[in-house]
Amino acid sequence: LFLLDGFALIFRAYYAFIRNPRINSKGLNTSAIFGYTNAVLDLLKKENPTHIALCLDSPGKTKRADEFDFYKANRQETPEDITLAVPYIIKITEAFNIPILTSDGYEADDIIGTIAKAAEKEGFTTFMVTPDKDFGQLVSENIYMYKPARSGKPREILGVEEIKAKWDIQRVDQLIDILGLMGDAVDNIPGVPGVGEKTAIKLLKQFNSIEEMLKRTDEIKGKLREKVETNADKAIISKALATIILDVPLDYTFESFILEKPNEPALKELFSELEFRTMGKRVFGEDFTIQKTANKKKGNQNQLDLFAAPVNEVNASLMEEVEETNDHKTLENTEHQYELIDTEKKQTAFAKKLLKQKSVCFDTETTGIDANNCELVGMSFSFKSGEAFYVPVPEERSEADKILKVFEPFFSNKKIVKIGQNLKYDALVLKWYDIELEGEIMDTMLQHYLIEPDMRHNLDYLSETYLSYKPVSIETLIGKKGKKQKSMRDIEVEKVCDYACEDADISFQLYEKFTPVLKENGFEKLYKEVEAPLVKVLTDVEFAGVKVDAGFLEEYSTQLGVEIDLLKKDIFEAAGEEFNMDSPKQLGQILFGKMEIPYKGAKTKTGQYSTNEETLKKLKEDHPVVEKILEYRTVNKLKNTYVDTLPQLINPKSQRIHTSFNQAVAATGRLSSSGPNLQNIPIRTEKGREVRKAFVPRDEDHILLAADYSQIELRIISDLSKDEAMLDAFKSGLDIHSATAARVYGIDIEDVDSDMRRKAKMVNFGIIYGISAFGLSQRLGVKRGEAKMLIDTYFEQYPGIKAYMDKSIEKAKETGYAETILGRRRYLKDIHSKNHTVRSFAERNAINAPIQGSAADMIKVAMIDVHKAMKKAKMKSQMILQVHDELVFDAHLSELEQLKELVDKNMSNAIKMTVPIEVEMGTGANWLEAH
């Protein structure tokens, strides 16, 4: 029997997505619904329960609150997004045919406790599905706590021994005493003030229970005795409040909990309405489609639709025109004219026709998804809704070049606007065929990225959301991913024609829809001056690639392999036997079984110990072998993830690595990279930094030049805030962290020591991200009082920073978004939330988004300006990488000084500011040396 603790799972799911919430096209935050549904699906698949039920708190006042009016009195307001999600979660649960239990005056804990104990008498094994620690008091030989998987961590099952070990108690019911002594700030259970977990456990070891402790308070030493005696009544009341009730009046039978097949039509309808595309396909197969994409017209809303509000007003204006429909338009049911241009005569005539158009949408079909290592199969074009043309391109390169030569005048025509979805990919493909894409570009992916940065931007999603049109799936042509998947080259040309024409047609329709919205809402300038020109820059950067010294990586791999072997030898000697270091099960048995290192974590259902990094870090002081295991994992990951993998990514055509820069991923405006992700190469450890040595100039005539913005985010906040003290520090060329330390500690800058500077640096950067006194104390390893003093003094010394932060929050509350210097928006739908935690997160974004986003915009503008200047100077040097605030160049030795001057000038002046922008540069025979 599996009993689900409803609201605990709902809140857990919601907060798991708090940094990157799932928002559908109607503006509904589906994080809680998605997380809950995923947990249920995972449980049903992996655990195969025979019986199941969802237990929910009663909506009214509970009996505990009736008796003790302070109980849960200080609880934060439930986040509005959860309130809106609950009706959907109830409907989904009903569609799964899972019974829902609630009882007036009682909480889910009490319902679960009552049923679990009754089920035990009936011979059931019960799993209480919850992350709530309070349930540990109910665990028995047949009752377990089941904590669902989360954030990459596997699910945990806690029995009697795990609870006893976790809390260091003799009996599970002693957990109630611990909770009574500790209290619970969330539920406003007072406990004994000043008594935390460690003291509570110590008292229980001595006295066995709260009642016994209160009889023998004369045995308690020092101030603790006074605390206990003064708060004796609070301890008793707190224990009562922490005790789960086991006799809730419920009307149920165990037969009613028997797992039944779900109501598939109802589930499909809900998944469709919520836009759970991937989940729907996983559950129902590839044929699953989203049937309803639009907001319903006023006066025709059911109760659930009332919860859905557009993500922002800009998106709302787009959605207003979308027709509500229960069936998507498709290729089969929509009128269209798609033509195959497959003869030389047709191609010549059609190419001339293209040259007469003001704007044309085009798309490429290729043999793979790597634009730098694939072949062109065909090209599709559209310049009128519902009409498109497909030009197949043969495999033979000379024949392909003949066709491309016919269309080259179109691609190179600077007067014709080129439209497409993710045009960087198409531009790269063409570049490998010696065709340069010229003229203004209108990329629907990037248009939507500016309109709605937090939503998805792929073509299928945009088509279904804004056109109510479901495109043909690529898998219907080439099959699912795997060895048996075909290439586009293997498919009949007529089928490819329809597929390719449809893509161009859809992209053209999206362009017609997005373009006026960009203009009307003030995004046109940002698009035309930053995002669009950046496409061409990134095309050249990716095409250039970066040379990697495979020989160095091979040697480094051997070196790391020796270190791994030595670490394993030391670990095996400490363990007294050899075992599989990469097996968590075997490692757990060795550490906590054989070596008897103290373990306070929870075991899995199969009795397995957790050996994750978090667990091991806590045990570093208990045995030297733990440090060696952590070192082994670090070195092994470095070897497998980068050192051994990078050589495999060298392009066979260019002998260089071509990473792909993603323009429409981070809502902040930051670029990310993939295949490989060069932005994640470790630089904080010496071994990690060594990987940068593998990145080298293309030949002996070049040297690597790295140019890095110095403390750019701090410079931006000083400019935005106009704080005089911080501006003066930067204008005077002072080290900002030393200058801050001098101000905070009230000393001369010459007297600042390294520890003071370290603390000031953490405050400087922490303030940008809204760090709290608690967070700062954790980072610095100091008491919360000192951390609070540092923050308070910082704001006294830099009043302009505090004023900027307050003003940013107020502005976001007025407008609903935060904005960068260049007008990039980050929408903050939770800025008015009544829930403090949720609202605080939005407020931190209101402060940080203009800073981080402006830094992102600045390096983008710098890339565009530097690229343009290099082109104008007809340089042999090339820009090859962008990582965080750094640009890397393959600098021709004859141009080095000229390039340095050009780069410094354009990076420093990318966005005009009152604060001086400094660019640090270095050169070297490899990236590490240059950096």
Side-chain angles (χ1 to χ4, degrees), residues 83-291:
T83 304
L84 303 184
V86 169
Y88 283 103
I89 288 170
I90 289 172
K91 281 185 171 287
I92 282 173
T93 306
E94 289 170 344
F96 272 118
N97 280 321
I98 295 173
I100 300 171
L101 301 172
T102 185
S103 181
D104 286 346
Y106 295 95
E107 298 174 42
D109 311 35
D110 306 322
I111 296 168
I112 289 172
T114 299
I115 295 173
K117 291 300 179 183
E120 186 169 41
K121 294 174 184 175
E122 297 293 323
F124 280 84
T125 300
T126 301
F127 294 93
M128 304 175 292
V129 185
T130 179
D132 189 344
K133 64 183 185 297
D134 296 16
F135 282 87
Q137 65 186 270
L138 300 174
V139 166
S140 71
E141 284 185 18
N142 301 302
I143 301 173
Y144 297 86
M145 271 186 73
Y146 181 104
K147 297 173 86 171
R150 182 187 181 189
S151 303
K153 295 180 182 178
R155 58 101 166 97
E156 285 184 272
I157 294 177
L158 287 72
V160 173
E161 294 308 313
E162 287 76 29
I163 294 296
K164 283 160 59 176
K166 184 177 176 66
W167 294 95
D168 197 11
I169 50 181
Q170 298 301 308
R171 307 181 317 275
V172 294
D173 63 276
Q174 286 182 303
L175 176 57
I176 308 173
D177 296 86
I178 288 178
L179 297 173
L181 288 167
M182 286 168 52
D184 188 333
V186 175
D187 289 342
N188 207 33
I189 298 175
V192 175
V195 173
E197 183 181 324
K198 287 183 180 178
T199 307
I201 290 170
K202 182 182 172 184
L203 288 170
L204 271 224
K205 279 183 181 293
Q206 185 177 354
F207 299 110
N208 197 42
S209 71
I210 286 177
E211 290 79 6
E212 187 64 24
M213 175 192 73
L214 294 177
K215 289 178 187 175
R216 298 158 51 193
T217 55
D218 57 312
E219 297 176 34
I220 303 173
K221 295 177 182 178
K223 290 185 178 179
L224 182 58
R225 175 180 175 178
E226 183 184 340
K227 287 179 183 176
V228 168
E229 289 180 343
T230 306
N231 297 284
D233 57 335
K234 287 182 180 177
I236 294 294
I237 290 169
S238 297
K239 181 174 179 178
L241 288 171
T243 303
I244 292 174
I245 298 166
L246 302 177
D247 57 356
V248 176
L250 288 166
D251 183 18
Y252 70 93
T253 63
F254 286 108
E255 286 75 20
S256 66
F257 299 158
I258 293 173
L259 181 64
E260 296 179 17
K261 286 184 178 180
N263 180 341
E264 284 199 8
L267 265 185
K268 280 183 178 178
E269 188 176 338
L270 283 161
F271 282 15
S272 177
E273 184 175 352
L274 293 162
E275 299 172 15
F276 289 173
R277 288 169 174 77
T278 306
M279 185 182 283
K281 287 178 180 177
R282 177 156 55 93
V283 176
F284 302 113
E286 285 297 321
D287 291 337
F288 175 79
T289 60
I290 304 297
Q291 298 297 339

Side-chain angles (χ1 to χ4, degrees), residues 857-875:
D857 288 343
M858 183 177 282
I859 199 157
K860 283 179 174 180
V861 173
M863 291 176 77
I864 294 162
D865 293 347
V866 168
H867 181 262
K868 186 178 179 181
M870 288 174 72
K871 286 267 189 186
K872 187 178 180 181
K874 295 181 180 177
M875 283 188 159

Side-chain angles (χ1 to χ4, degrees), residues 800-818:
I801 302 288
K802 184 70 171 72
Y804 161 77
M805 293 168 72
D806 294 340
K807 187 179 176 182
S808 296
I809 293 169
E810 286 308 309
K811 188 177 178 183
K813 284 180 177 177
E814 289 172 18
T815 62
Y817 57 82

